[in-house]
Amino acid sequence: ASAFQLAPAPTARSSAVYSEVTEEVVEAPAFPTVNGWTADPKAFCLGLPGSLPPVGNFDPLGFTTDLSVPEIKRFREAEVTHGRVAMLASLGYLVGESFHPLFGGQITGPANTHLAQVEHVAPQFFFALAIAIGMAETTRALVGWVPPVQAMTTLAEREERGAFGALLRDGYYPGDIGFDPLGLKPSDPKEFAEMQTKELQNGRLAMLAAAGMCVQEQVDGKGIFEHFGF
């Protein structure tokens, strides 16, 4: 036999096996799936939860139009975070003005003035509060955000622009920093999307409520319950 003998042609069986293997190759998604959600650039707000009838896909000013996936995720991160703060603030306005056992009952009057009163009455507590807020924000940044230098380099390579060079991690779901001490986060993607929608809707309402209470107290200097005769 010649040393240069050609290899035998593939048989029908080997061709069939090759065909089956090639058919099983599935293209990987462009974006990672997190909490059952995969970013869909063609869908409204990337397909993120938060829309409810009758309003539906509400974006009359076009904030999400022609934005990249990282930018829309950053917008959602801001919305979720501000909504959570507003829910606490709304509760704080109502409770703080009617029930204030801390600091010997010295904190009184409209809630708009409470923080300044705390700084005057208990400066050590005010300092500790500022440190605690700083630690919480730093933790959130470490969990969800790409380090600044790396973020600016990545954005430059993609020819995209982020606010102050900010960029969320690809595998980070907006607002999910892993803090769930009561284990309320559903494991089922559908249930998670439903809970996320409820949180967003309540947060949006709370942002309007907190802003309204803040402005009202600035206008007339009265507490919220004072307007109802309490």
Side-chain angles (χ1 to χ4, degrees):
S2 171
F4 299 97
Q5 182 178 359
L6 297 176
T11 64
R13 175 179 172 78
S14 63
S15 297
V17 172
Y18 177 77
S19 176
E20 291 177 2
V21 171
T22 54
E23 288 178 359
E24 291 177 359
V25 175
V26 179
E27 185 178 352
F31 304 98
T33 299
V34 189
N35 292 332
W37 167 77
T38 304
D40 181 3
K42 297 180 181 179
F44 175 77
C45 202
L46 305 180
L48 283 164
S51 298
L52 278 179
V55 177
N57 298 335
F58 185 77
D59 185 18
L61 300 181
F63 285 123
T64 60
T65 303
D66 298 327
L67 287 183
S68 64
V69 170
E71 276 292 271
I72 294 181
K73 285 180 62 178
R74 189 178 63 81
F75 272 44
R76 173 51 59 88
E77 172 79 8
E79 181 181 27
V80 172
T81 303
H82 283 81
R84 290 169 177 170
V85 172
M87 284 188 278
L88 291 173
S90 299
L91 183 63
Y93 265 94
L94 301 177
V95 175
E97 292 182 355
S98 56
F99 180 72
H100 35 77
L102 300 179
F103 314 113
Q106 299 181 64
I107 310 301
T108 59
N112 280 2
T113 66
H114 286 187
L115 197 58
Q117 293 182 58
V118 170
E119 183 180 13
H120 176 72
V121 172
Q124 297 86 355
F125 178 85
F126 184 86
F127 178 76
L129 178 64
I131 295 297
I133 293 174
M135 292 176 63
E137 285 298 290
T138 300
T139 301
R140 184 170 71 93
L142 292 174
V143 171
W145 300 78
V146 175
V149 176
Q150 181 184 345
M152 289 186 286
T153 302
T154 303
L155 289 171
E157 291 174 351
R158 297 178 180 174
E159 297 183 350
E160 297 178 0
R161 183 185 59 151
F164 306 105
L167 180 66
L168 288 174
R169 300 182 188 275
D170 290 337
Y172 173 72
Y173 188 93
D176 186 7
I177 60 174
F179 182 76
D180 184 24
L182 299 180
L184 299 178
K185 177 183 174 181
S187 57
D188 180 73
K190 185 177 180 180
E191 293 179 0
F192 177 83
E194 182 179 348
M195 178 174 284
Q196 176 83 143
T197 299
K198 291 178 180 179
E199 180 184 25
L200 285 163
Q201 295 295 342
N202 281 281
R204 291 162 182 167
L205 178 61
M207 284 189 276
L208 294 173
M213 289 187 282
C214 179
V215 170
Q216 182 62 54
E217 292 194 356
Q218 287 295 107
V219 169
D220 58 18
K222 295 181 180 180
I224 299 302
F225 287 114
E226 290 184 63
H227 295 91
F228 300 99
F230 296 107

